[in-house]
Amino acid sequence: MNVVVVGATGGIGNALIEALLDEPRVAQIFAFSRCTGNAHAALCSERVIHGFVDLEKEASIEQAGKTLRDTPIDLVVVASGLLHDGNLRPEKALKQLSQDSLQRVFQINAIAPMLLAKAILPHMRSDTRSVFGVLSARVGSISDNRLGGWHSYRSSKSALNMFLKTAAIGSKMLQPNCVIVGLHPGTVDTQLSAPFQRNVKPEKLFSPQQSANYLLDVISDLIAEDSGKVFAWDGEEIAP
Ligand SMILES: NC(=O)c1ccc[n+]([C@@H]2O[C@H](COP(=O)([O-])OP(=O)(O)OC[C@H]3O[C@@H](n4cnc5c(N)ncnc54)[C@H](OP(=O)(O)O)[C@@H]3O)[C@@H](O)[C@H]2O)c1
């Protein structure tokens, strides 16, 4: 298997790479991040090819796709995402919205995965099943939204989910073996969730390793009919 992980330096992305390295059938992992050093031990494995990508730059995403050359890709996991960063915080109320924050959150969570699909889907293996999975979030479900808040993050994940459904319909004819899905990793102990963990029960807070293993189990069970859907860490389908 040849695998692509985008967001290789993230909590879940790095745990996915570590878990994938334990699988003998994984030949190569193309690990993309905007980090240029080898800060993470997993990225130093000889089965890992580290590539640069800045998800805020379209040319960088295109270039990342080109580095795959003729390698047939079996699995892609886009594990990048943005919830908070410096002054950028999830909004509780409309008055906290700003154009800059909205654009940045949509860029990383929705637009970049769309451009990654454009750049990487043509490289997916076509003779057997392949999977293009993007980490979404349960809060992106419109029907499940009872609490409100987190306007930009929620809406960016809803936009992502709509794109995944649209891409799945579009690729049905050309790439019938490619399953395109959104994946909710659970609440995971990473820097993304760190400021918001206070009310999370300990048993509901997964380690990145736990979440990565759950997600790989969900991925291994996916079938063609699942394309366009969003699944949680336990395999449950999340309603749009
Ligand atoms: N943690 C949770 O509880 C949780 C819950 C639901 C959904 N999710 C989703 O799961 C995914 C992974 O989250 P995580 O918890 O692993 O977060 P994380 O540890 O903060 O990782 C986020 C990753 O995104 C990358 N990234 C952000 N902006 C980028 C840019 N401009 N260019 C390239 N890479 C960029 C980060 O790279 P740098 O290292 O360079 O910053 C990092 O690798 C996200 O989509 C998140 O929405 C997480």
Side-chain angles (χ1 to χ4, degrees), residues 6-23:
V6 179
T9 51
I12 301 171
N14 197 250
L16 278 166
I17 292 172
E18 282 174 358
L20 285 160
L21 283 171
D22 283 341
E23 296 229 14

Side-chain angles (χ1 to χ4, degrees), residues 9-12 34 55 79-81 108 136 153 157 186 188 190-192:
T9 51
I12 301 171
R34 58 182 163 178
L55 298 175
S80 44
I108 305 295
S136 186
Y153 183 76
K157 294 293 189 180
V188 188
T190 66
Q191 71 84 33
L192 181 138

Side-chain angles (χ1 to χ4, degrees), residues 133-154:
V134 183
L135 295 198
S136 186
R138 191 182 293 279
V139 297
S141 163
I142 293 174
S143 55
D144 192 55
N145 184 0
R146 290 175 190 89
L147 290 176
W150 291 24
H151 298 65
S152 54
Y153 183 76
R154 258 181 210 285

Side-chain angles (χ1 to χ4, degrees), residues 89-128:
R89 309 278 302 167
E91 316 87 352
K92 290 188 180 143
L94 277 180
K95 64 181 179 190
Q96 294 168 332
L97 295 189
S98 87
Q99 182 168 301
D100 282 354
S101 300
L102 280 161
Q103 281 176 345
R104 218 162 145 237
V105 172
F106 268 75
Q107 176 63 37
I108 305 295
N109 293 346
I111 297 171
M114 295 189 204
L115 295 172
L116 285 163
K118 177 186 167 193
I120 300 177
L121 279 177
H123 296 270
M124 305 301 285
R125 191 188 289 282
S126 56
D127 50 344
T128 55

Side-chain angles (χ1 to χ4, degrees), residues 63-225:
Q63 188 52 39
K66 285 184 187 153
T67 61
L68 302 175
R69 298 174 191 271
D70 296 331
T71 315
I73 303 297
D74 298 273
L75 170 64
V76 176
V77 185
V78 179
S80 44
L82 178 65
L83 173 60
H84 61 90
D85 184 15
N87 289 333
L88 189 156
R89 309 278 302 167
E91 316 87 352
K92 290 188 180 143
L94 277 180
K95 64 181 179 190
Q96 294 168 332
L97 295 189
S98 87
Q99 182 168 301
D100 282 354
S101 300
L102 280 161
Q103 281 176 345
R104 218 162 145 237
V105 172
F106 268 75
Q107 176 63 37
I108 305 295
N109 293 346
I111 297 171
M114 295 189 204
L115 295 172
L116 285 163
K118 177 186 167 193
I120 300 177
L121 279 177
H123 296 270
M124 305 301 285
R125 191 188 289 282
S126 56
D127 50 344
T128 55
R129 190 198 73 141
S130 63
V131 173
F132 186 93
V134 183
L135 295 198
S136 186
R138 191 182 293 279
V139 297
S141 163
I142 293 174
S143 55
D144 192 55
N145 184 0
R146 290 175 190 89
L147 290 176
W150 291 24
H151 298 65
S152 54
Y153 183 76
R154 258 181 210 285
S155 314
S156 67
K157 294 293 189 180
S158 305
L160 166 67
N161 295 350
M162 175 58 92
F163 166 72
L164 294 171
K165 171 84 183 175
T166 308
I169 294 169
S171 70
K172 219 166 228 161
M173 294 291 283
L174 290 172
Q175 292 179 290
N177 286 328
C178 183
V179 187
I180 300 174
V181 290
L183 296 163
H184 168 62
T187 303
V188 188
D189 186 10
T190 66
Q191 71 84 33
L192 181 138
S193 69
F196 314 101
Q197 292 176 2
R198 212 172 356 155
N199 296 323
V200 182
K201 292 183 185 143
E203 67 275 17
K204 298 262 179 191
L205 183 65
F206 300 150
S207 69
Q209 292 73 19
Q210 238 180 320
S211 176
N213 286 323
Y214 289 145
L215 292 172
L216 291 175
D217 283 348
V218 173
I219 287 168
S220 72
D221 286 345
L222 291 170
I223 56 171
E225 288 68 33

